[in-house]
Amino acid sequence: VQLQACGGGLVQAGGCLRLSCAASGHSFKSYSVGWFRQAPGKERTFVAYITSSGGAAYYADSVKGRFTISRDNAKNTAYLQMTSLKPEDTAVYYCAAQTNPNYYKTTYGYWGQGTLVTVSS
């Protein structure tokens, strides 16, 4: 499966953005989707994942209650709705896919190219 993330941009603190992860190829609905982010000079970290059916999701503590992950299998697209953004949310956001939902980035075999989110104070 090939992934393409988009929707990043510059937003003020307290604002919102919705990221999209469009998939092409086979059987998107068979894959769980994760979002990860990488701030400048830091490691890539887990943000959220959603199971293949969309029936369950899991979030990093740092975004819980502010971010919502969802997917539309009919459109082969996953989303990350981000609200109450903080400057510390500034990072390149990546979507990734694999068959077993979890928060370990090393287990994800398919990655999008990343989209930059910048939150100004």
Side-chain angles (χ1 to χ4, degrees):
V1 62
Q2 295 176 328
L3 306 173
Q4 182 170 5
C6 63
L10 174 63
V11 63
Q12 289 188 332
C16 60
L17 280 175
R18 188 176 80 158
L19 305 183
S20 298
C21 177
S24 59
H26 301 290
S27 303
F28 173 71
K29 63 182 179 181
S30 299
Y31 292 90
S32 61
V33 174
W35 284 97
F36 295 80
R37 65 186 180 185
Q38 187 165 15
K42 296 188 176 181
E43 291 188 357
R44 193 173 301 186
T45 59
F46 168 76
V47 175
Y49 74 69
I50 188 166
T51 57
S52 57
S53 67
Y58 186 83
Y59 299 90
D61 288 344
S62 59
V63 306
K64 200 173 296 182
R66 299 188 298 122
F67 290 11
T68 302
I69 189 171
S70 62
R71 65 190 296 160
D72 185 339
N73 285 342
K75 296 182 178 180
N76 283 356
T77 304
Y79 306 96
L80 185 68
Q81 179 69 50
M82 306 184 295
T83 64
S84 302
L85 282 162
K86 305 175 182 180
E88 51 264 44
D89 294 319
T90 294
V92 176
Y93 284 71
Y94 298 87
C95 61
Q98 66 141 310
T99 55
N100 297 315
N102 65 70
Y103 46 77
Y104 298 107
K105 62 181 181 287
T106 56
T107 65
Y108 284 78
Y110 303 97
W111 290 85
Q113 83 287 4
T115 185
L116 177 62
V117 172
T118 303
V119 184
S120 63
S121 58

